Amino acid sequence: MHYKLSGRRDMEGQPQLELQINGHFNLVCQRCLGALAFDLDAAAVFILVPDESRMPQPEDERDDVEYIVADAPIDVRALIEDEVLLSLPLAPAHENVNCNDALSAAKEQKESPFKVLQGLKLNKD
Ligand SMILES: [Zn+2]
């Protein structure tokens, strides 16, 4: 994984950080539990605010940036971890054609009538 963190000031002179993350992740498909390669390409802008009292009101917050109170050294590692977690899919899954589950789902459908019968018989006993 590669990341680039750069600092700059916006047009109003407010300091901000720009974080870019590129990486290749090996995820697990939530349908077939097979390996799933995922290329992450994420970017985020953080506006640094000197203290809590200078945080913008919710209605003034911009949607495309995040705000950080910079009253202590910034934990860059946590910043990157958060951004990676936000950018990864919550429930990663293969495209249907690549997913092993598409095959096993077809198989299960064929078997299901027998499973249902089995279940009925057991319930009667
Ligand atoms: Zn899959």
Side-chain angles (χ1 to χ4, degrees), residues 29 31-34 93-94 98-101:
C29 171
R31 267 188 299 190
C32 71
L33 302 181
H94 292 118
N98 296 325
C99 190
N100 295 322
D101 201 45

PDB file of all heavy atoms in Angstrom, residues 29 31-34 93-94 98-101, ligand 1:
ATOM      1  N   CYS A  29     -14.563 -12.864  -0.389  1.00  0.00           N
ATOM      2  CA  CYS A  29     -15.908 -12.711  -0.953  1.00  0.00           C
ATOM      3  C   CYS A  29     -16.927 -13.186   0.071  1.00  0.00           C
ATOM      4  O   CYS A  29     -16.814 -14.278   0.619  1.00  0.00           O
ATOM      5  CB  CYS A  29     -16.020 -13.526  -2.241  1.00  0.00           C
ATOM      6  SG  CYS A  29     -17.699 -13.614  -2.884  1.00  0.00           S
ATOM      7  N   ARG A  31     -19.906 -14.026  -0.367  1.00  0.00           N
ATOM      8  CA  ARG A  31     -20.858 -15.028  -0.863  1.00  0.00           C
ATOM      9  C   ARG A  31     -20.224 -16.413  -0.921  1.00  0.00           C
ATOM     10  O   ARG A  31     -20.796 -17.384  -0.456  1.00  0.00           O
ATOM     11  CB  ARG A  31     -21.371 -14.628  -2.245  1.00  0.00           C
ATOM     12  CG  ARG A  31     -22.658 -13.835  -2.158  1.00  0.00           C
ATOM     13  CD  ARG A  31     -23.249 -13.621  -3.519  1.00  0.00           C
ATOM     14  NE  ARG A  31     -22.305 -12.869  -4.358  1.00  0.00           N
ATOM     15  CZ  ARG A  31     -22.612 -12.373  -5.543  1.00  0.00           C
ATOM     16  NH1 ARG A  31     -23.800 -12.552  -6.041  1.00  0.00           N
ATOM     17  NH2 ARG A  31     -21.728 -11.694  -6.229  1.00  0.00           N
ATOM     18  N   CYS A  32     -19.021 -16.505  -1.522  1.00  0.00           N
ATOM     19  CA  CYS A  32     -18.424 -17.836  -1.695  1.00  0.00           C
ATOM     20  C   CYS A  32     -17.210 -18.023  -0.788  1.00  0.00           C
ATOM     21  O   CYS A  32     -16.633 -19.096  -0.751  1.00  0.00           O
ATOM     22  CB  CYS A  32     -18.034 -18.055  -3.148  1.00  0.00           C
ATOM     23  SG  CYS A  32     -16.623 -17.066  -3.688  1.00  0.00           S
ATOM     24  N   LEU A  33     -16.819 -16.993  -0.058  1.00  0.00           N
ATOM     25  CA  LEU A  33     -15.664 -17.018   0.841  1.00  0.00           C
ATOM     26  C   LEU A  33     -14.352 -17.264   0.107  1.00  0.00           C
ATOM     27  O   LEU A  33     -13.362 -17.664   0.705  1.00  0.00           O
ATOM     28  CB  LEU A  33     -15.862 -18.062   1.965  1.00  0.00           C
ATOM     29  CG  LEU A  33     -17.111 -17.836   2.825  1.00  0.00           C
ATOM     30  CD1 LEU A  33     -17.187 -18.899   3.920  1.00  0.00           C
ATOM     31  CD2 LEU A  33     -17.083 -16.454   3.467  1.00  0.00           C
ATOM     32  N   GLY A  34     -14.368 -17.042  -1.189  1.00  0.00           N
ATOM     33  CA  GLY A  34     -13.137 -17.155  -1.965  1.00  0.00           C
ATOM     34  C   GLY A  34     -12.341 -15.865  -1.892  1.00  0.00           C
ATOM     35  O   GLY A  34     -12.823 -14.844  -1.407  1.00  0.00           O
ATOM     36  N   ALA A  93     -17.850  -8.746  -2.652  1.00  0.00           N
ATOM     37  CA  ALA A  93     -18.307  -9.962  -3.326  1.00  0.00           C
ATOM     38  C   ALA A  93     -17.859  -9.922  -4.779  1.00  0.00           C
ATOM     39  O   ALA A  93     -17.732  -8.852  -5.372  1.00  0.00           O
ATOM     40  CB  ALA A  93     -19.823 -10.086  -3.246  1.00  0.00           C
ATOM     41  N   HIS A  94     -17.620 -11.088  -5.334  1.00  0.00           N
ATOM     42  CA  HIS A  94     -17.245 -11.201  -6.741  1.00  0.00           C
ATOM     43  C   HIS A  94     -18.386 -10.713  -7.635  1.00  0.00           C
ATOM     44  O   HIS A  94     -19.553 -10.759  -7.249  1.00  0.00           O
ATOM     45  CB  HIS A  94     -16.991 -12.669  -7.106  1.00  0.00           C
ATOM     46  CG  HIS A  94     -15.779 -13.269  -6.471  1.00  0.00           C
ATOM     47  ND1 HIS A  94     -15.852 -14.326  -5.609  1.00  0.00           N
ATOM     48  CD2 HIS A  94     -14.468 -12.950  -6.584  1.00  0.00           C
ATOM     49  CE1 HIS A  94     -14.630 -14.646  -5.219  1.00  0.00           C
ATOM     50  NE2 HIS A  94     -13.772 -13.822  -5.780  1.00  0.00           N
ATOM     51  N   ASN A  98     -17.798 -14.362 -11.799  1.00  0.00           N
ATOM     52  CA  ASN A  98     -16.553 -14.842 -11.199  1.00  0.00           C
ATOM     53  C   ASN A  98     -16.772 -15.548  -9.874  1.00  0.00           C
ATOM     54  O   ASN A  98     -15.849 -16.106  -9.307  1.00  0.00           O
ATOM     55  CB  ASN A  98     -15.611 -13.672 -10.944  1.00  0.00           C
ATOM     56  CG  ASN A  98     -15.188 -13.006 -12.227  1.00  0.00           C
ATOM     57  OD1 ASN A  98     -15.011 -13.672 -13.242  1.00  0.00           O
ATOM     58  ND2 ASN A  98     -15.048 -11.693 -12.198  1.00  0.00           N
ATOM     59  N   CYS A  99     -17.977 -15.486  -9.373  1.00  0.00           N
ATOM     60  CA  CYS A  99     -18.206 -15.964  -8.016  1.00  0.00           C
ATOM     61  C   CYS A  99     -18.465 -17.458  -8.008  1.00  0.00           C
ATOM     62  O   CYS A  99     -19.315 -17.959  -8.755  1.00  0.00           O
ATOM     63  CB  CYS A  99     -19.400 -15.226  -7.398  1.00  0.00           C
ATOM     64  SG  CYS A  99     -19.566 -15.558  -5.645  1.00  0.00           S
ATOM     65  N   ASN A 100     -17.748 -18.159  -7.155  1.00  0.00           N
ATOM     66  CA  ASN A 100     -17.944 -19.605  -7.039  1.00  0.00           C
ATOM     67  C   ASN A 100     -19.334 -19.934  -6.538  1.00  0.00           C
ATOM     68  O   ASN A 100     -19.839 -21.019  -6.759  1.00  0.00           O
ATOM     69  CB  ASN A 100     -16.915 -20.198  -6.072  1.00  0.00           C
ATOM     70  CG  ASN A 100     -15.512 -20.056  -6.617  1.00  0.00           C
ATOM     71  OD1 ASN A 100     -15.289 -20.189  -7.806  1.00  0.00           O
ATOM     72  ND2 ASN A 100     -14.573 -19.747  -5.735  1.00  0.00           N
ATOM     73  N   ASP A 101     -19.943 -18.968  -5.863  1.00  0.00           N
ATOM     74  CA  ASP A 101     -21.245 -19.211  -5.265  1.00  0.00           C
ATOM     75  C   ASP A 101     -22.331 -19.361  -6.331  1.00  0.00           C
ATOM     76  O   ASP A 101     -23.342 -20.013  -6.106  1.00  0.00           O
ATOM     77  CB  ASP A 101     -21.607 -18.057  -4.325  1.00  0.00           C
ATOM     78  CG  ASP A 101     -22.652 -18.467  -3.321  1.00  0.00           C
ATOM     79  OD1 ASP A 101     -22.508 -19.570  -2.759  1.00  0.00           O
ATOM     80  OD2 ASP A 101     -23.611 -17.716  -3.118  1.00  0.00           O
TER      81      ASP A 101
HETATM   82 ZN    ZN B   1     -17.488 -15.067  -4.616  1.00  0.00          ZN
END
